[in-house]
Amino acid sequence: MFELKKLTLALGLSAVAMASQAAGTLIYCSEGSPEGFDTAQYTGGNTFDAAGHAMFNRLTQFKKGGTDVEPSLAQSWTISADGLTYTFKLRKGVKFHTTDYFKPGRDMTADDVIFTIERMVNKDHPFNKAYPAQFPYASDVGLESNTESVTKTDDLTVVIKLKKPDPDLLVKIAMPFASILSKEYTDKLVAEGKASMLNQQPIGTGPFALRRYEKDAQIRYVKHKDYWNAKDVLVDNLIFAITTDASVRFQKLKAGECHIMSYPKPQDIAAMKADPKLKMDTAPGFNIGYLSYNTEKAPLNKVEVRQALDMAINRKAIIDAVYQGQGQEASNPFPASLWSYNAKLKNAAFNPEKAKELLKKAGVAEGTEITLWAMPVQRPYNPNAKLMAEMIQADWAKVGIKAKITQYEWGEYLKRLKQGEHDTGLIGWTGDYASPDNFLGVLLTCEAIGGSNYARYCSKEFDGYVLKARNSVNQKERTELYMKAQEVFKKDMPWSTIAHSTVNQPMRKELNGFKISPFGDYNFEGVSVK
């Protein structure tokens, strides 16, 4: 990753500590490095926060702290009666970042929007030849397969035509993967033979511009002085102090070395609430923590084996130890707060003896070895994946299965999961928009294999319900279809659903304006430091 100035880790951290005393500087203790800065390529929250929310905008955006969509780079839009044509009127005078490596020669136009979308939905796009990449989110949400064309009628009007209606389109394009890029900048990179630098030296229209990045240490941003919504950029500098250990993040927060931190340990919540210099916001989690079974690998390709491993897991013990009162048992692939949740579906009872019988019947010999991957970072849906993995490992040992716990650096972990290298893997999801499709479609459909479908699960029956619901404009029909899809999911068992967590957000009292996002985002637009 690029650096304008090379710093040692020690110097970088001391600079962060000193900056915490500087007026106009906001420091966020994050839990991990981004996978990159080209949001279209990734699905991880670290990347979406570090790039998508800090440096970019989309055509639409979510109201702060809510799930409703409002205008962003598009000031307004109209939808045709058949639901196939969306016409967006773009905001005039939007400036891209000016940095040491790029100085824009024009404002944002329809050409930038067209480039951004076409690159994701057209594998033969010229830029994809200069810089080959995968776009998992565009594929997972159906944007790639369902986009007929993207055109302009003038420099500030974009027309997106779909093959089938998509009632969730406006919320999908509010997500970080759809961040609007500068075509002028990408043309420059291609001309210089440096197209891949898009992922290291980003240029956006967002509230902050990248100044320096030091992997696993810090990301430094400066205020975008020509930002179209300048009244909401309330600090001059933003720093992501990358701190993988939650206990260390807490110590930094207490010491005033950061103003806000991600994902506290459940056992630290009481101490945080008692600290007079801190405040704690709490919200129901719009998330799911789960164990993914690689359904392409033997013996996990047998549903009986997945069912056996599932009933061998002591969920109650895990939730008590890992979530410590901050989690609720999950039965379905999304939380009960989301419409179409099928309340009739329940987890199988914890039953090691029956699990042994199922494994024997499926021909799985005692002592069979499988891998059990554990995330190296805390996430809202799983505050301690290593402990959870150790508990599952012990549960499975009692039914004759030897699980080898495997860990990688977070970006590598996600990359290898997408490639299907695991047997089983702990992972999870915080919803990006308030539709069942964001869980069922993005995480479990055939087209999401290689993206966020870590189970590599592909069911024609399941896809039939989900894809029909995705393209229906009848809410009652969609609800019924999604409920049936959940039944198929529970029957096929590509995951062991574990828990939905409560979101606790600690911050210092001098931080103002931060709102918990239902989607787990860290967005510092409109946030100030006294």
Side-chain angles (χ1 to χ4, degrees), residues 353-430:
E353 291 305 315
K354 187 175 180 182
K356 284 182 184 178
E357 293 175 13
L358 281 174
L359 289 170
K360 186 176 181 180
K361 189 176 179 182
V364 178
E366 189 168 341
T368 294
E369 296 183 1
I370 60 175
T371 58
L372 170 55
W373 288 27
M375 301 180 301
V377 296
Q378 295 85 22
R379 300 301 295 163
Y381 46 74
N382 191 334
N384 193 338
K386 183 71 184 300
L387 175 59
M388 186 182 293
E390 289 168 350
M391 295 182 74
I392 293 173
Q393 180 186 50
D395 286 341
W396 285 351
K398 293 170 185 174
V399 298
I401 298 296
K402 292 183 179 179
K404 179 184 177 183
I405 296 175
T406 304
Q407 284 192 302
Y408 294 97
E409 178 272 330
W410 184 226
E412 190 70 14
Y413 185 89
L414 292 173
K415 178 183 175 182
R416 289 172 179 263
L417 273 184
K418 288 172 183 174
Q419 292 170 347
E421 295 182 18
H422 61 298
D423 293 328
T424 67
L426 289 171
I427 193 65
W429 189 255
T430 297

Side-chain angles (χ1 to χ4, degrees), residues 167-232:
D168 291 332
L169 180 68
L170 293 175
V171 291
K172 289 176 180 177
I173 61 173
M175 291 158 49
F177 83 90
S179 296
I180 302 303
L181 305 173
S182 164
K183 185 177 185 298
E184 182 188 16
Y185 177 52
T186 58
D187 286 347
K188 173 180 179 288
L189 291 177
V190 171
E192 294 172 350
K194 299 178 180 178
S196 65
M197 293 304 287
L198 179 68
N199 198 26
Q200 301 176 49
Q201 296 182 337
I203 293 292
T205 61
F208 298 96
L210 184 64
R211 182 183 172 196
R212 181 170 66 246
Y213 171 47
E214 189 177 355
K215 185 175 171 63
D216 297 331
Q218 60 174 301
I219 314 172
R220 286 175 170 265
Y221 309 86
V222 294
K223 178 180 180 177
H224 180 195
K225 293 180 181 178
D226 296 318
Y227 187 46
W228 59 270
N229 192 26
K231 65 179 176 57
D232 277 351

Side-chain angles (χ1 to χ4, degrees), residues 439-494:
F439 291 83
L440 303 179
V442 172
L443 305 179
L444 289 158
T445 53
C446 301
E447 66 184 356
I449 293 174
S452 296
N453 184 347
Y454 302 117
R456 305 183 77 80
Y457 169 67
C458 186
S459 160
K460 288 184 179 179
E461 184 184 12
F462 180 87
D463 269 28
Y465 292 132
V466 173
L467 299 183
K468 186 175 181 181
R470 175 183 287 174
N471 300 128
S472 172
V473 294
N474 183 316
Q475 186 74 359
K476 183 181 178 184
E477 180 187 41
R478 294 185 83 198
T479 298
E480 291 171 352
L481 290 166
Y482 285 135
M483 290 183 77
K484 288 178 180 177
Q486 290 167 76
E487 292 174 4
V488 178
F489 163 85
K490 209 64 182 171
K491 170 178 63 100
D492 290 348
M493 194 73 68

Side-chain angles (χ1 to χ4, degrees), residues 111-120 178-182:
D111 291 335
D112 302 306
V113 178
I114 293 170
F115 169 82
T116 297
I117 298 174
E118 282 197 338
R119 174 194 174 217
M120 293 188 290
S179 296
I180 302 303
L181 305 173
S182 164

